């Protein structure tokens, strides 16, 4: 994980597998929109991690499994519970964003909807 890249931490410990996938795809979309970064998935299913790690490099996103959230007080960070508050402006201000989903992915800022470029990472 690079020091100056944006880091998006998503805590998936209490999230069902299908929602883990949706939150992970959302994370990829967010980081692709800001030209890459580090996606750290806390508590993700091992099979999900294998699939995401295999395609992460093609999207300019480094994927890692997190063992526990440790925030660096010297780095600007934000802790949120909704995807709806994550924006490019927030990512410019806070170089690390920690998302603790309060439930399934429901509200996503319009700017994070993928436009087909992200799907190229799947080779389709």
């Amino acid at each position: 994980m690079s020091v100056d890249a944006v880091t998006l931490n998503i805590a998936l410990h209490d999230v069902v597998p299908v929602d883990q996938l949706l939150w992970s795809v959302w994370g990829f979309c967010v980081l692709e929109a800001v030209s890459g970064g580090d996606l750290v998935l806390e508590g993700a299913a091992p099979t999900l991690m294998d699939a995401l790690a295999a395609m992460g490099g093609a999207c300019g996103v480094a994927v890692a499994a997190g063992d526990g959230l440790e925030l660096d007080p010297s780095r600007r960070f934000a802790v949120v519970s909704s995807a709806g508050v994550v924006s490019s402006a927030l990512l410019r201000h806070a170089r690390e964003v920690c998302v603790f989903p309060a439930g399934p992915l429901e509200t996503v800022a319009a700017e994070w909807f993928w436009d087909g470029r992200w799907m190229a990472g799947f080779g389709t």
Side-chain angles (χ1 to χ4, degrees):
M1 304 285 167
S2 68
V3 175
D4 59 346
V6 171
T7 301
L8 181 60
N9 291 290
I10 306 175
L12 299 173
H13 300 283
D14 298 323
V15 179
V16 298
V18 69
D19 287 331
Q20 286 190 10
L21 176 62
L22 293 174
W23 277 103
S24 302
V25 168
W26 170 79
F28 266 107
C29 294
V30 168
L31 291 175
E32 186 193 33
V34 294
S35 301
D38 301 323
L39 178 61
V40 179
L41 301 172
E42 303 280 339
T47 52
L48 175 62
M49 287 302 303
D50 291 344
L52 294 174
M55 63 178 234
C59 299
V61 176
V63 180
D67 295 331
L69 187 60
E70 293 182 20
L71 297 173
D72 180 355
S74 67
R75 193 166 181 197
R76 293 178 308 206
F77 64 86
V79 178
V80 302
S81 62
S82 169
V85 299
V86 177
S87 66
S88 55
L90 176 64
L91 292 172
R92 281 192 301 273
H93 173 73
R95 301 306 290 166
E96 184 166 2
V97 174
C98 306
V99 182
F100 290 89
L105 183 65
E106 293 175 355
T107 305
V108 180
E111 65 188 277
W112 299 132
F113 286 115
W114 66 78
D115 60 6
R117 292 179 301 127
W118 186 83
M119 293 302 286
F122 285 107
T124 57

